[in-house]
Amino acid sequence: MLMKPDQRAIEALVLMAMREDAPWGDLTSQALLPADLEISARLMAREEGILCGDDLFTTAMSMNAAVTVEFLKHDSNSFSAGDALARLTGPAQAILRAERVALNFMQRLCGIATLTAKYVAETVGTKARIVDTRKTTPGLRLLERYAVRCGGGYNHRFSLSDGVLAKDNHLAALKKKGDGELTSGLRQAFKLLPHTTHIEVEVDRLEQIEPVLAAGVDTIMLDNFSIDELRAGVKQVAGRALVEASGGISLDRVREIAATGVDLISVGALTHSVRSIDLGLDF
Amino acid sequence: MLMKPDQRAIEALVLMAMREDAPWGDLTSQALLPADLEISARLMAREEGILCGDDLFTTAMSMNAAVTVEFLKHDSNSFSAGDALARLTGPAQAILRAERVALNFMQRLCGIATLTAKYVAETVGTKARIVDTRKTTPGLRLLERYAVRCGGGYNHRFSLSDGVLAKDNHLAALKKKGDGELTSGLRQAFKLLPHTTHIEVEVDRLEQIEPVLAAGVDTIMLDNFSIDELRAGVKQVAGRALVEASGGISLDRVREIAATGVDLISVGALTHSVRSIDLGLDF
Amino acid sequence: MLMKPDQRAIEALVLMAMREDAPWGDLTSQALLPADLEISARLMAREEGILCGDDLFTTAMSMNAAVTVEFLKHDSNSFSAGDALARLTGPAQAILRAERVALNFMQRLCGIATLTAKYVAETVGTKARIVDTRKTTPGLRLLERYAVRCGGGYNHRFSLSDGVLAKDNHLAALKKKGDGELTSGLRQAFKLLPHTTHIEVEVDRLEQIEPVLAAGVDTIMLDNFSIDELRAGVKQVAGRALVEASGGISLDRVREIAATGVDLISVGALTHSVRSIDLGLDF
Amino acid sequence: MLMKPDQRAIEALVLMAMREDAPWGDLTSQALLPADLEISARLMAREEGILCGDDLFTTAMSMNAAVTVEFLKHDSNSFSAGDALARLTGPAQAILRAERVALNFMQRLCGIATLTAKYVAETVGTKARIVDTRKTTPGLRLLERYAVRCGGGYNHRFSLSDGVLAKDNHLAALKKKGDGELTSGLRQAFKLLPHTTHIEVEVDRLEQIEPVLAAGVDTIMLDNFSIDELRAGVKQVAGRALVEASGGISLDRVREIAATGVDLISVGALTHSVRSIDLGLDF
Amino acid sequence: MLMKPDQRAIEALVLMAMREDAPWGDLTSQALLPADLEISARLMAREEGILCGDDLFTTAMSMNAAVTVEFLKHDSNSFSAGDALARLTGPAQAILRAERVALNFMQRLCGIATLTAKYVAETVGTKARIVDTRKTTPGLRLLERYAVRCGGGYNHRFSLSDGVLAKDNHLAALKKKGDGELTSGLRQAFKLLPHTTHIEVEVDRLEQIEPVLAAGVDTIMLDNFSIDELRAGVKQVAGRALVEASGGISLDRVREIAATGVDLISVGALTHSVRSIDLGLDF
Amino acid sequence: MLMKPDQRAIEALVLMAMREDAPWGDLTSQALLPADLEISARLMAREEGILCGDDLFTTAMSMNAAVTVEFLKHDSNSFSAGDALARLTGPAQAILRAERVALNFMQRLCGIATLTAKYVAETVGTKARIVDTRKTTPGLRLLERYAVRCGGGYNHRFSLSDGVLAKDNHLAALKKKGDGELTSGLRQAFKLLPHTTHIEVEVDRLEQIEPVLAAGVDTIMLDNFSIDELRAGVKQVAGRALVEASGGISLDRVREIAATGVDLISVGALTHSVRSIDLGLDF
């Protein structure tokens, strides 16, 4: 149950990309290829990874003509170098025109899913979830969050509008308001929020945990804590809130962090530094 | 002379990203920060790199309120870890709301500019240009091409609509048309193109060079050639067209490739696998 | 602290309404009024109510020309019949053209705020919040939720995307899946959700409360319960989740419902049946 | 012959509402319902009314998946509490996702049609038409005017662009222009209008009727006239123009007003204060 | 009193044209002109005509930078070959980028205004209005109707939505409906229309005039009538409706047609075959 | 091989035009025609010409209902007065609603194709291409360039973004930069351009040819040269670049110009002054 993104949202993104990549047609294919030439092709993996983007690829390919796409692997499946991922048949002009757009999306999404899966693999046997952040590519958040799910990760809040995450700068402002005490300041601020709002507060040191918990929060984020501090933090929170580890999470540290007992590990790198997976069409 | 992207295009992209990141407001800042709280902040580099995105950052910050931004470095300047890149002052709510959007764009663009500059540095003393490809992030091509220029690289065609690049699949289709001879097939196809169209054809082996040149092309792309083959190709073309090396170009091979005498080296990795540069706001 | 809606969102809605109401100009004003005629006017309340829409009114008025608007009352303030709410000065053509659009928005929003305030007044002395529902006017949800806040009410989830609310039809489907037991079915379904998701489940009878609570929910909705049943439900939940009363809430029953100890009372009528407050411009 | 609204306009409105109500999916249905679960449902009337919105409901339901909708009653038909209005079958996820959007539109439109029908019933036996005003919900005018027609009412001008309606403020401006005489001022102003423009002028007292008629108008609006004044006005106009009664028209006064012999009775309340008709889906 | 088109509509059209003409910048100006180069220029008439488009020209020029435009002639003024129409000053890059877009609009609009003025000049001394048709350039109707007004002409209905014009095909359908008699068929059809609808019916021969008039129409169109028939038609209508001459109106026949006593002469050529007026920028 | 415009671009343009021409329905057809009336019609040529717009016409006709269109002639075919161009069958309401939009587009496009063909006919036996300019109707450039191709002409650059064309004003600025020498100034400016950029420079007199050629240009434009000068210019360029004749090209001079040996003749009149071809529907 991957909660696929809305098909209409996919179509809008593909159309936007098509307009960007061919604002007034594909000179090469229109000049060189007869309009009635039909071809077959296979979407091939040039390296191993996790699949993400099957619907999107099909949408791109069939946007301008009757192209048939049959996927042999599906979103969240793993694949190896040399695997055929899909078979497609249709007008050569349409397939070549859509090729780059379809691959540009899919290679990035597979990159995210594949990297996520590596982080997730490191947390096996712990209760820690790998979660994404808002460090996504502008315009593609919907897709990139889906890619995280394809890789076995979980989503954090979607945007600034659907969850509270108070960071150091927000807390600093509370003091400037002259509120004095952190707990009462937070409690006062949270009072007007919808009851459906998940409230998370970031702390920089162990001493902040108690006053923040006292304000009634759902998740407490331990930012840039050492392994020992994380362990101490988890112990101190003692189940009164979820605990999220954040800040400079890397693949070689994540297992150690997961072992501290945190509930969530947020990894900006899942989406802010995507290495595309090498895919290509073979004709 | 960097040919900055159009300010209206920047505004449209920033607005799109703002809507994605805060479709109905910033719960945290609106709950915790007084509307009249003014703050100052600095945009800091956490690692070295090449700057790209000054106008975009300013646009994002000043979109929702009167935020003043003064850049201390400018697009295409290099910076070191710890450098202050800009100073900004304005309402805390507006700055914190725009922070993630502004950084999401800018960190990617700096990543592209910085990587490009590394490739360009390897070509010093040769005539080879580092050029981008269409392997850009859907929706952000305008910005990413600009980032390549900030890094000292050059742009290839923008899209399928403003230049011909015939690849193996196109050439294969010529044969299916029964055109028989490659040269006449290409010449026939090019006849209807606008005279302003730059025509490039990709070849896979040295034997294709002569028939392609005979069709009258502006650039010949040597795809996945070895260093020796590249050198032979350049010699054979002998200035009758530009020569572009393409396919699997990596940072550790690029100097050797540039030394073969090619005119252009296209590098998909400049944009298809962006590692964000670490930037942040200090308050 | 009312968390005003985003100014850009307001502008987009006003522009949409202006295009609807004057797709190719205002024949009457352009024919009858000299372009340089300046007038002053006052926005008058013809009946009592709660104000909502000050920024929106100003935006509509100043969209097409330099109209100055000064509000004498502000959003969430109460007003009486005969009160002047704002003073405005500017070109007659612009003011008359914007008049109907500005009032169409504002009269509805004041209607919602005023009705909400009546419900809220009935809950004084209890802990119950009056909350809105998704029964809003298509396209105007952002504004109508704001109007509820102006009236002293609170917001529920914004949309299907930012909170779970499982109703009878959803629970019925769990059975069709052959999941057998309700608790495990729900728990299974909730596992993949972001940890930030507020989870609410609707129950029709007291017997469902325990299995639902056992699945780990944040709010339990008691749908169409009698006063006695509500009281029993609150007692049974005993603080293990928030309790929401829902279904056929009317102004004459709400005090009694609030007194049962529920946390939330959701009222569809706040937005699904808006009686506009009578406002007008006096020149 | 109801002149149904354009199907493309309906689609655009439904899509807008869908995006508002589920910007990134329906968490509840996607989490709880299997993607392949098909259900049947009936659209039920919980109270009596006049139907409006059959095409719109079908459009909403079938927007995201193959949902079959068969209406048992049609637009402008009356229905009773307990009537099944439509039968629908399709994927549970799609039906539950569209349910609120479809009902939010339809309940409002039925509310308008039903209220209109009540006003129309009071005019039986007279020549008076019940007509709408521009006091419609921003963005929904096209639909709300259609609902008025479904209820047996008639439409007034669509917007400021397709008809002249000069009110007191316009007439006051004529004096400020120093035009002196009302008749010549109006005549002068109307000269440049397209010959297709319907010209209506509002008067506040009987003395204004003659000078306004002398300027050549198609309709004369008697604003806030007493019953006696209306009767006198109709007599004075004597068929030289249509006569519209306007201002504070209520359901208990409308029969009396219609009996005065006016041609048109414009009722802002038809659209400015809509009480939704209670409809629901039974599964 | 020209009823200028809405400034926001102008901006939207200019922006659309700018995107079309420079989707990713102006290579020539950005490469050749320093960003800080300021220039002055004059908008010159290379032939005589009637001005239309002053606001639009200013909007185009100042869209991307601070360009000052001062018009020496104004919309609806006549000009001679060699006249300076406007002076402008600003950044060279912005002016050269906007030049073609600004002229493309303005030359067409001046072409329409100028041609209209020629037709209008032929009707001097008669009561006939020269009116436009719906044969406008897709997307530019708002502007082209304004150009007709600048030339002294008048507008017909804007669109299919704001006026009835029944042509032979519509009348033929009435018979297929089995309505038998033309008068009753029309009357029946018109009954449901808003009272603000101007009703016009086209007739092909004199015998149709009486039955059409009997149905109650506002304008009767005499389509492709000879001069004698027009005169007879005017006489027969005898002021019971406006009379419009239509079909193959040319500049050399229009005076004769106007002399027949018709009220309206609709000329498709005003907008369907525009010869641009030669304008240019002198630097 | 005409390189037809993208079907999605056509749909967007048709939809825009439909909204303009019937923002809230077609009053006449909805009032007079039964919704279930099916009719047949033929698209007839009232004068001779070259066809352009078959896909567009079909798109317009079938946008709102199932209308079948069969074209008897195809784009770029010539036709005579009286020829039936297409047969169509479908609902009368849909056909009459789309008629004007479909014809407004098609008559203009046929006008351009027909005029282009006349210019092309004059160049038979020479190597000169007739090419278009950027003097197109705002918003319709994609279609108008296609019409030029249908008439046997060729396209120039699409926009400011995909080709360099330096005119006198640009060259003048080079001097203001203090660059002194023209050749080095141009060479410097061109250095940063993508290698795919076609570079064209306009010269006003023969003396400029050598310094411009020395800068390395692809095409040299001889602006407003006499026939003798053109011949001299061609001789001087001697194949080192393409030669384009431009400025005041008329149908009666074009053969003489083509005979001078120029490669390209750009004709603004192809698109800036379109005379619509007379087409109509016969029912």
Side-chain angles (χ1 to χ4, degrees), chain A:
Chain A
M1 196 188 57
L2 279 162
M3 295 197 192
K4 290 202 148 192
D6 189 84
Q7 178 59 18
R8 285 187 171 265
I10 289 176
E11 282 168 19
L13 287 164
V14 168
L15 183 56
M16 171 276 291
M18 286 284 181
R19 283 184 177 148
E20 182 184 57
D21 195 42
W24 59 91
D26 175 358
L27 290 185
T28 313
S29 294
Q30 289 180 295
L32 282 159
L33 305 178
D36 58 356
L37 176 65
E38 298 269 324
I39 58 173
S40 290
R42 288 187 308 165
L43 173 64
M44 302 298 296
R46 314 276 194 228
E47 61 178 310
E48 65 173 10
I50 304 290
L51 192 66
C52 178
D54 50 11
D55 285 352
L56 190 145
F57 185 91
T58 302
T59 302
M61 278 297 162
S62 56
M63 177 154 277
N64 297 300
V67 175
T68 307
V69 182
E70 182 199 1
F71 266 88
L72 309 172
K73 298 270 183 175
H74 295 282
D75 282 3
S76 83
N77 291 171
S78 64
F79 55 78
S80 307
D83 281 358
L85 304 177
R87 279 195 288 257
L88 51 164
T89 310
Q93 284 190 358
I95 290 175
L96 286 171
R97 175 176 172 170
E99 178 184 12
R100 187 74 265 136
V101 164
L103 291 175
N104 277 352
F105 275 115
M106 199 166 198
Q107 292 182 248
R108 275 166 175 73
L109 296 180
C110 290
I112 293 171
T114 304
L115 182 58
T116 303
K118 287 182 185 160
Y119 276 90
V120 170
E122 296 294 317
T123 64
V124 169
T126 74
K127 66 173 175 180
R129 283 182 171 198
I130 298 297
V131 298
D132 54 23
T133 67
R134 286 168 43 242
K135 297 181 178 175
T136 53
T137 310
L140 305 184
R141 185 170 291 172
L142 190 76
L143 298 178
E144 294 187 350
R145 281 163 63 91
Y146 173 61
V148 166
R149 298 199 298 273
C150 286
Y154 291 82
N155 297 139
H156 210 295
R157 63 174 175 167
F158 188 94
S159 74
L160 293 172
S161 301
D162 66 302
V164 159
L165 205 174
K167 303 205 170 179
D168 48 357
N169 298 313
H170 296 101
L171 302 193
L174 277 187
K175 291 176 193 154
K176 293 195 185 161
K177 283 168 81 177
D179 275 314
E181 213 239 307
L182 183 59
T183 304
S184 66
L186 287 173
R187 198 175 283 156
Q188 180 71 18
F190 297 157
K191 260 188 6 192
L192 286 178
L193 291 168
H195 65 281
T196 59
T197 311
H198 187 93
I199 294 176
E200 177 165 355
V201 176
E202 174 192 294
V203 302
D204 298 325
R205 49 188 200 284
L206 290 165
E207 297 76 50
Q208 291 173 301
I209 291 180
E210 281 309 324
V212 164
L213 277 179
V217 303
D218 299 298
T219 299
I220 197 152
M221 178 194 279
L222 308 182
D223 191 45
N224 282 311
F225 275 42
S226 70
I227 296 294
D228 283 347
E229 288 171 323
L230 283 174
R231 212 174 286 123
V234 169
K235 193 171 166 190
Q236 189 174 337
V237 175
R240 290 176 291 171
L242 296 175
V243 177
E244 175 176 340
S246 172
I249 312 292
S250 62
L251 204 46
D252 53 359
R253 284 185 67 223
V254 68
R255 183 183 299 271
E256 198 178 16
I257 292 167
T260 62
V262 297
D263 302 282
L264 306 157
I265 304 172
S266 56
V267 187
L270 297 185
T271 54
H272 77 48
S273 292
V274 181
R275 195 183 69 74
S276 286
I277 294 294
D278 196 2
L279 309 175
L281 289 191
D282 279 1
F283 294 87

Side-chain angles (χ1 to χ4, degrees), chain F residues 83-103:
Chain F
D83 280 358
L85 304 177
R87 278 196 287 259
L88 49 164
T89 309
Q93 284 191 358
I95 290 176
L96 286 172
R97 174 176 173 170
E99 179 185 11
R100 187 74 266 136
V101 164
L103 289 176

